[in-house]
Amino acid sequence: MLSTQHINHCIQRLLAGMALLRQGARLVAVCLQQAGTDWYRQDFPLIGYLFKYLLAAFLALWVALKMEMDQPATALLTVVIVMHFRSGMVITKSYYRLIGTVIGILFSMLLVAWFAQDRFPFFIAAALWIGMCTAGSLVYRNFQSYGFVLAGYTLCIVGLPATLTPWHTFQIASTRMSEIGVGLLSATLVSELVLPQRLWENIQAVVRSKFRDFSVLLGTGAPAGLNQPFLKFMQDIYQLEAFRSSAQFETDDARVHSATINRLNVQFMAVSTTYVVLQRLIQRLQTRVASKEADALQVLMQPLSAAVLIDGQPASHAEAITRVQQAVAAFQHDFDTRLAVQLQHLLMHPEVNQLEVETGGELLSRLAKELTAYLDTYALLVAQPRARKVASREFTADQLHMHIDWLPVSIAATRGALTLLILAAIWMTIDWPSGILAMTLGVITSTLFAASPAPMATIRQFSVGVLLGIVLVYISNVFWLTAVHDYVMLCIAITPAVLLTAWLSARPATTLVGAGLGIAYFLMVGFNQALGDNPVKYFNDSIALMVALVVSGIMFSLTDYAASPWAKARVFTQLRKLVVDACLHASMTAPIFEMRTRDLIQRSGSVHRPQEAESVRVVEALCAALEVGHAVLALRAVARGVLAQPYQLVQRTLTLVASYYKQPGLAQQQAVLQWLDHFLAWLQGGEYADALLPSQVRKLTTQLHFIRLVIAAEMPQDQASTSTGADS
Amino acid sequence: MMHEWIPREFAFLDAHVPTLFVAFLLAAAAIWLIDKVLAAWGIYDLVWYPALLRVSLFFGLFSVFGLMVY
């Protein structure tokens, strides 16, 4: 018999066991939920994207077949070209693709109308057109550049086939246009309506991470050097610009905030430059034996560093941002008194150069001012995006200025034109049936990769994709398409290629492989005029694609401008040229100087390789150019308000600085330094004190002193370069 | 009725263009304008699926224009 005690004991153990089980179950549920949300956040978008890609392709195929178009594969190719992870990007890409196609078609018709009877003028005009398109694709950024690629490519798919049957030109043009239209409509419809991925989240993430990084940098200083963070910031700025330029067709907040984002970018450029310049000044002062000046500047900087971090962390929510804003405003408010106290304090040390602390103080107050402006815009964008509607109207921050270097542009244009001419010559001399296909791919590669920082690596990746595509075409033409007898089976037959293309192009490391695969597959797949396999055509076409890749690879390696040491030397020369422009041209303002300098570096491709020693040198040169350029521009801004005689002296300073930057030799440097010493002595002597206000004297003095510091510091580097020049 | 005096096709530089194509372009232009107004007024903040609204507005408008022709 069981005693009640025994039963109670059993029940208790049972209850304990059940509690344990419940706890375990809860743990499992939590784990599953966690895994589920992780999956939903990370993997689900990719699966959704693959699904969307397939859906768009099937829709385009169905419409193209239903309308009995000549080449349904062109519609599919269009889908492959414009599909993108983000919905807004698809619409923007389609928009530029449409413009490029329409212009390309119009030009093809003109070309056929003019030169259909003679091939030489035809190909020369076509080569000129391709050259122009290549140049355009290099000059413009983002998807605008894409429009030019498409304008060139359309010439190949409309103009070249039309030369064989000129009386069908109009028909060819209108069918290609409809096929492309079907592709564009399906891609945009599907990516808008099915699981749309909005840009606004990306933009906010970039904006926030940029702010976080900058706060940490401001708060803790840069123990590991400034170059890496500065490069990172530049990357962020251009990424944000890329997102912004694609946001104009979005439905969400991104479009409304476009102007604000632009303004934020410009302000961020200003504030990060000022910070870097200030830090470089402090570092330069620290290299001296007695660095009382650097210590004083760091003491002055300290409250600002403390202000941007809250409990050692960057501000993350609206309240924290408001607190940072208030702290920075307070810093600005009593900065002048603190500077005066420091200067008073330094009077005790006669060896200290007060002017250097004043120069730093000037920079620091500019930093605080720019930081305030940046914080205001940031708060508007992140903390209270809903309260923007009125505020966003007044922003008229202009576009990011471009710096166009015509030399690489003309090299690329020549390359594009030559690639077309070489392939055309092969086509004509050996009477090759697949010449048009080769020219099409040749033009695609030479326009699409013109702006690539490392074209050889790009071509290699793309070629891997094309090879994969050729293999896949063989399998699907010979084994799958021959078994197809209705729409559903056709869909099944093309599914592997579509999925593989989508998957490869969604991963950043293999985007180009995906592009090559998609383009090669849908250029060659066998359901255009007749379904199924035609071995002769298949081999001809594969050889054509390979020949095109080889020719454009050779052309790229022969004219690889970006990799030549000459191009790198030119970047430095151009930076100096921009400083000269800042000295001499009245149209150059601080933001324009800033944007053009950064755009030059961005286009030189160094931003993409932040680890290399070469990039570090480029960034050093960029910082040096920014530093002196801004000082010169500030000097000019002060000089605008002064009387004739000091104004002429400032003009003379500018001319001398410009001549030094034009020809960085020892003699010019000595001349500038002597003149600056003379000018500074004149200003400090108070000889013409009645000609200038005290505040103007102070501003002029600090800027001149700063320019003197920078130019004097350039000495060792300069001697090194002249001595190596003499050695070689 | 309108469809009695609007031709279904017309010659543009000697090429036959279906009037429906013009209707499509008109609808696209109209949607572009309407879309700007809606975004500026913040209507999209009140809508559950803005893209769907935009597409359906476009198809509605296109159908209206199309029915004027046929």
Side-chain angles (χ1 to χ4, degrees), chain A residues 636-650:
Chain A
R636 279 180 41 186
V638 182
R640 226 164 276 144
V642 303
L643 292 170
Q645 202 206 355
Y647 181 75
Q648 276 169 0
L649 294 177
V650 171

Side-chain angles (χ1 to χ4, degrees), chain A residues 459-475:
Chain A
I459 286 264
R460 214 169 299 136
Q461 266 205 324
F462 188 79
S463 308
V464 172
V466 170
L467 282 179
L468 266 177
I470 289 176
V471 174
L472 253 179
V473 166
Y474 183 78
I475 299 173

Side-chain angles (χ1 to χ4, degrees), chain A residues 58-112:
Chain A
F58 292 163
L59 183 63
L61 184 60
W62 185 75
V63 176
L65 288 174
K66 199 80 190 162
M67 294 173 120
E68 295 183 2
M69 289 174 174
D70 282 352
Q71 297 188 6
T74 309
L76 283 173
L77 184 61
T78 308
V79 171
V80 168
I81 288 179
V82 296
M83 267 319 253
H84 194 282
F85 212 76
R86 304 277 154 197
S87 312
M89 297 228 173
V90 178
I91 305 182
T92 316
K93 234 173 159 178
S94 307
Y95 174 70
Y96 286 113
R97 157 123 219 202
L98 194 66
I99 293 178
T101 308
V102 169
I103 292 173
I105 282 185
L106 287 180
F107 186 76
S108 312
M109 285 164 71
L110 266 183
L111 208 56
V112 175

